[in-house]
Amino acid sequence: MTINRRELLGYSAAALGVAAIGLPQIAKAADELTIAYNVNLPSWDPTTGPSAVNPTIQGLYQSVFDQIIGQKPDLSFTPGLLTEWGWNDDRTKVTMTVRDGVKWHDGSPFTAEDVVWSLTRAGDEKTGNPIQFVWKNVNNFKIDGNKITGDVVQFDPVYFKWMSFLTGYFLPKAYYEKVGAEGFEKAPIGTGPYMVDKFERNAFLRLKANPHYWGTKPAFENVTIKFVTDAASRVAEIESGSSQVTLEIPYEEYDRLIKKDGLAGSVKNVSDIGMIFFNDIEAMLDKNVRLAAVMAVDKELLVKRLLRGYGQPIATLETPEYAAFDPSIKVEHNPDKAKELLAASGYSTKKPVKFTIQTTKGFKPKDYEMIQAIVGMWRKVGIEANIEVYEIAKHYELRAADKLAPAAFYNWGNSIGDPTTSTGFAMYGPSPHSVWDSQDLIDMINPLWGEKDEAKRIAGWKAVDKYIAEQAYVLPLMQYAQPIVHSKKVNVVQHVSGALLPALMTPAA
């Protein structure tokens, strides 16, 4: 099949960029791997700023920085830089055991001092950690050899789970204090399987295997990750052989490419969900408008037609892999009821309610096309939505400032499967990741943050999910299936978190 004009133009731009920076278009050596990635890397500090909470970037971070507590591809927890962790009986103290024999990329030893410094820094609101409200819950750390204890300020049931998730990384105390934040951006070091060899912002990242690595040595000595944000260009990268692995391409392209000689792929449901934030401004203050906006959307049709059956519709911000998933919570697709609700508020197809919806374009498969389809469904019931396209970095900026439009598409990742990190942070008004600020929801969620009875905690979150669905405070869409296409010369292990990890890739026999 020939490449269409758009793909050709996209590829030409990508190829010219590659030529300009001197990268090989086709990896020739057996120990070289080239990946066409779907996002840029804004910052090298995985613990501060908006990029630290971008789930898509975590695969890049995890290549350079080990997770505090590891996660296997099926999301089960495994020892990482900590080999043991836990609470005392009354949940007033934490205990941690630091792995021996680990070195930073500069060859210096990884120590318990690095752990305490990193956790203390993460809990300090001045450092800008987006999950500071989790890390602040333990302090007064004490070191005894490779053992660490800490005092619980406020019990947080997901404190250790977060060590496998966003901002769950340690940084090198001595090196960071020596070079400062600016120096660290220029020359980051971690303990992970790969070291940063060269980095050109908005262009590429070249990684080199860490000779000091404590874990399994990566199979590929050199990895080049090209930042190719245009989906058509990523298709061209893999089809031309310029890259050996790519991800997040349109599903019809996935189906086409895996039939070609020399290419293979995998697609499985991951922990990401597609959702539309509702901001408590303008038309979204009207419950009838919110309910109508939810009921008008045919999620089954979106998955079947736009996503070619990959993924599955959801009714809450929980997927079947999440601890608080409740299949009894249903949200009906009922355009006629949507029209009645809008009519009760004085709206109709002739006099539609109007608002803006923001979305990315090409960041996730069919993201823009999906919003176009939803806007079409809304139009049929009396909602006129204007589409505004933005980059994912802009979404984080606007969300942190609580300045999203009345509706905004986003993909939410929750690889630890806990309701606090899905419904909790997305819907709790004081959270920097939420834009819905109603007091009724805040009051329902408040007691759950520190609930020590696990069964009661999960039941509480299910009740919150049910209430949110009844009030239409958010529009959950679907659980994503992540498409990965790769050369048959490369074995790829797909991680349910959605992180694309070169350390899990090996040359095919």
Side-chain angles (χ1 to χ4, degrees):
M1 178 178 283
T2 58
I3 300 175
N4 66 36
R5 183 174 181 273
R6 181 178 175 226
E7 290 171 330
L8 182 60
L9 290 173
Y11 170 62
S12 298
L16 286 172
V18 168
I21 58 181
L23 288 175
Q25 289 193 36
I26 300 177
K28 295 181 176 63
D31 63 351
E32 287 191 4
L33 177 68
T34 304
I35 300 171
Y37 214 72
N38 64 326
V39 290
N40 290 303
L41 181 64
S43 169
W44 270 115
D45 186 339
T47 68
T48 61
S51 62
V53 290
N54 182 346
T56 312
I57 292 176
Q58 302 310 305
L60 303 179
Y61 285 150
Q62 289 169 29
S63 296
V64 176
F65 307 95
D66 284 307
Q67 289 179 298
I68 300 174
I69 295 172
Q71 261 189 317
K72 297 178 182 178
D74 66 357
L75 300 186
S76 59
F77 299 108
T78 187
L81 292 178
L82 296 183
T83 57
E84 296 177 310
W85 57 90
W87 315 88
N88 64 350
D89 289 341
D90 63 0
R91 303 293 197 268
T92 59
K93 288 186 179 294
V94 300
T95 59
M96 297 173 278
T97 302
V98 179
R99 183 180 293 277
D100 287 325
V102 178
K103 293 183 178 181
W104 293 103
H105 290 161
D106 62 358
S108 61
F110 166 73
T111 67
E113 283 78 10
D114 293 311
V115 173
V116 170
W117 178 81
S118 295
L119 291 176
T120 302
R121 176 176 176 266
D124 184 352
E125 61 182 11
K126 297 176 186 175
T127 61
N129 188 303
I131 315 297
Q132 182 266 345
F133 50 86
V134 170
W135 303 121
K136 71 179 177 60
N137 290 321
V138 179
N139 63 17
N140 193 30
F141 296 102
K142 291 183 173 59
I143 300 172
D144 182 9
N146 69 337
K147 305 287 185 182
I148 298 174
T149 59
D151 294 336
V152 175
V153 178
Q154 177 175 311
F155 175 70
D156 185 340
V158 295
Y159 180 76
F160 287 116
K161 288 184 179 181
W162 268 105
M163 292 185 176
S164 292
F165 198 33
L166 308 178
T167 79
Y169 306 95
F170 293 140
L171 298 186
K173 177 179 184 292
Y175 179 78
Y176 193 95
E177 290 182 335
K178 177 183 177 181
V179 302
E182 186 176 342
F184 193 80
E185 282 293 330
K186 292 179 179 178
I189 66 170
T191 61
Y194 284 101
M195 305 184 298
V196 176
D197 185 35
K198 189 173 183 180
F199 173 59
E200 292 288 344
R201 197 173 302 278
N202 300 320
F204 73 95
L205 164 65
R206 186 180 287 133
L207 300 172
K208 186 175 182 179
N210 174 13
H212 309 296
Y213 194 51
W214 57 270
T216 303
K217 179 177 171 58
F220 289 99
E221 179 68 22
N222 301 288
V223 176
T224 297
I225 296 173
K226 303 178 188 178
F227 303 131
V228 186
T229 57
D230 178 68
S233 296
R234 290 196 300 279
V235 170
E237 280 282 324
I238 196 73
E239 194 162 18
S240 68
S242 293
S243 293
Q244 295 153 292
V245 184
T246 196
L247 74 163
E248 302 294 8
I249 60 175
Y251 294 107
E252 65 270 19
E253 293 286 22
Y254 171 84
D255 287 341
R256 179 179 69 85
L257 289 171
I258 62 173
K259 296 176 183 176
K260 294 179 69 70
D261 290 342
L263 294 179
S266 64
V267 57
K268 65 167 57 178
N269 287 353
V270 293
S271 58
D272 276 12
I273 66 171
M275 61 178 286
I276 294 177
F277 276 104
F278 288 159
N279 199 353
D280 57 330
I281 58 173
E282 302 174 21
M284 290 307 172
L285 291 171
D286 186 333
K287 181 180 177 180
N288 287 337
V289 171
R290 298 194 307 271
L291 284 169
V294 172
M295 290 183 176
V297 176
D298 188 341
K299 301 174 189 177
E300 296 278 355
L301 186 64
L302 291 175
V303 170
K304 182 179 179 180
R305 294 283 180 85
L306 279 177
L307 306 186
R308 298 175 73 90
Y310 294 117
Q312 66 177 27
I314 53 175
T316 69
L317 298 183
E318 318 284 344
T319 77
E321 293 82 6
Y322 296 2
F325 176 71
D326 185 349
S328 71
I329 301 174
K330 307 289 185 182
V331 178
E332 65 176 327
H333 168 233
N334 191 334
D336 291 335
K337 179 65 173 176
K339 289 180 181 178
E340 293 175 11
L341 290 164
L342 289 170
S345 290
Y347 302 114
S348 66
T349 53
K350 294 182 179 179
K351 183 187 175 185
V353 59
K354 299 180 181 182
F355 56 80
T356 294
I357 180 168
Q358 295 163 321
T359 181
T360 51
K361 187 175 184 178
F363 176 62
K364 297 290 285 186
K366 297 295 184 182
D367 47 7
Y368 178 72
E369 292 83 355
M370 183 163 53
I371 296 306
Q372 282 184 308
I374 289 172
V375 168
M377 294 172 184
W378 282 346
R379 189 178 299 114
K380 292 178 180 179
V381 300
I383 297 173
E384 185 178 315
N386 171 58
I387 301 176
E388 177 186 313
V389 176
Y390 56 10
E391 294 293 327
I392 191 63
K394 186 65 175 180
H395 169 89
Y396 289 116
E397 177 187 325
L398 293 172
R399 196 174 82 201
D402 198 1
K403 292 183 178 180
L404 286 178
F409 170 80
Y410 180 64
N411 68 292
W412 189 277
N414 178 21
S415 67
I416 59 175
D418 197 272
T420 63
T421 58
S422 52
T423 301
F425 294 141
M427 301 305 302
Y428 183 66
S431 163
H433 314 295
S434 171
V435 291
W436 190 267
D437 302 307
S438 62
Q439 193 61 45
D440 55 343
L441 198 53
I442 292 172
D443 290 341
M444 280 190 76
I445 292 175
N446 268 334
L448 300 176
W449 294 123
E451 178 56 61
K452 295 181 181 180
D453 184 318
E454 185 66 1
K456 185 177 179 181
R457 185 176 78 92
I458 297 302
W461 281 113
K462 288 181 178 181
V464 168
D465 282 325
K466 187 174 186 294
Y467 180 73
I468 289 173
E470 292 169 347
Q471 299 297 317
Y473 284 155
V474 69
L475 175 46
L477 293 171
M478 77 283 296
Q479 178 183 16
Y480 272 109
Q482 182 188 58
I484 298 175
V485 178
H486 57 89
S487 164
K488 286 185 177 179
K489 295 180 179 179
V490 179
N491 294 320
V492 175
V493 177
Q494 192 160 8
H495 203 289
V496 177
S497 71
L500 188 64
L501 301 172
L504 294 181
M505 300 179 194
T506 56

